[in-house]
Amino acid sequence: MDPSVDAAEPGEDGARPWAVQDVSFTVEPGQLAAIVGPSGSGKTTISYLVPRLYDADRGAVLLDGHDVRELTQESVAGVVGMVTQDTYLLHATVGDNLRYAKQDATQEELEAAARAANIHDRIMSFEQGYDTVVGERGYRLSGGEKQRLAIARVLLKDPRVLILDEATSALDTTSERLVQQALEAATHRRTTIAIAHRLSTILGADVILAVDAGRIVERGTHAELLARGGLYARLYTEQFAGGQVEARCSDGVRFRDGKTLRTRQPVAPPAA
């Protein structure tokens, strides 16, 4: 899979600024690619180009070498699955919500997907089990339960490509751990693009893309990007340093133990 978008400079010919531009990357079959960056940097926009929730104005998003704009919506939907932060559930039973992904699924298939998503035991604790009505948008379930139900639905669909849009960012620690375990099952040997707010969920990604102002400004593994000391290192430090940060400067962060993490190269003074 090769999602790539090329665009002109903002304001060219009086047009509106581009949401994303100069974006080009390849995700090999079975790989996990993570997209990180500040709020409003274009992460979700990039991911939405793959299932054609948005279409690229210039450039192309390719699935197995085919421009997704030349494929039918039905065929794209058949190979791409999504789990987003705001899970949408129908005002129907648990079983009906799962079968939305595969209408002819057997009870055994429903339970296998729910077990893989760490939600089967919780479903069976309900008085009516899989016949329990979840309410409008799933209001009778907690945030973590809705997310795990959504993951079970994706597992039942069994898509070749999985898009995760900050699937754990709104959860408490306990729910996040359960959902993360379910996501590990969902992403196993599956081509995955994950937008991550909590960087702890993507440390083992095959490639991490740091996005800022609609552009990919860094790419590499967790270790490579930390060593580079750029945007990713700054985001990581802000999440994990806790009370150990003594001071933040324009070119880096100083910790209470005296160590310094540079996030930008200092500017050399002008020659005399």
Side-chain angles (χ1 to χ4, degrees), residues 53 66 104:
L53 298 181
H66 301 284
D104 60 349

Side-chain angles (χ1 to χ4, degrees), residues 73-93:
Q73 290 280 9
E74 183 179 1
S75 62
V76 173
V79 297
V80 180
M82 296 189 69
V83 178
T84 63
Q85 178 180 339
D86 186 16
T87 299
Y88 187 83
L89 297 177
L90 304 172
H91 182 50
T93 68

Side-chain angles (χ1 to χ4, degrees), residues 178-244:
L178 291 171
V179 170
Q180 190 57 37
Q181 290 171 353
L183 288 175
E184 289 175 3
T187 59
H188 183 61
R189 296 183 178 179
R190 198 186 310 271
T191 306
T192 305
I193 297 176
I195 297 172
H197 174 72
R198 295 185 179 179
L199 302 186
S200 59
T201 62
I202 49 91
L203 300 184
D206 296 290
V207 61
I208 299 172
L209 308 168
V211 177
D212 194 19
R215 298 175 184 265
I216 295 177
V217 296
E218 294 176 333
R219 68 184 71 205
T221 64
H222 167 71
E224 290 169 346
L225 295 183
L226 274 190
R228 190 170 300 168
L231 173 61
Y232 179 80
R234 176 170 62 82
L235 294 172
Y236 183 83
T237 300
E238 289 174 351
Q239 285 197 23
F240 294 100
Q244 299 304 310

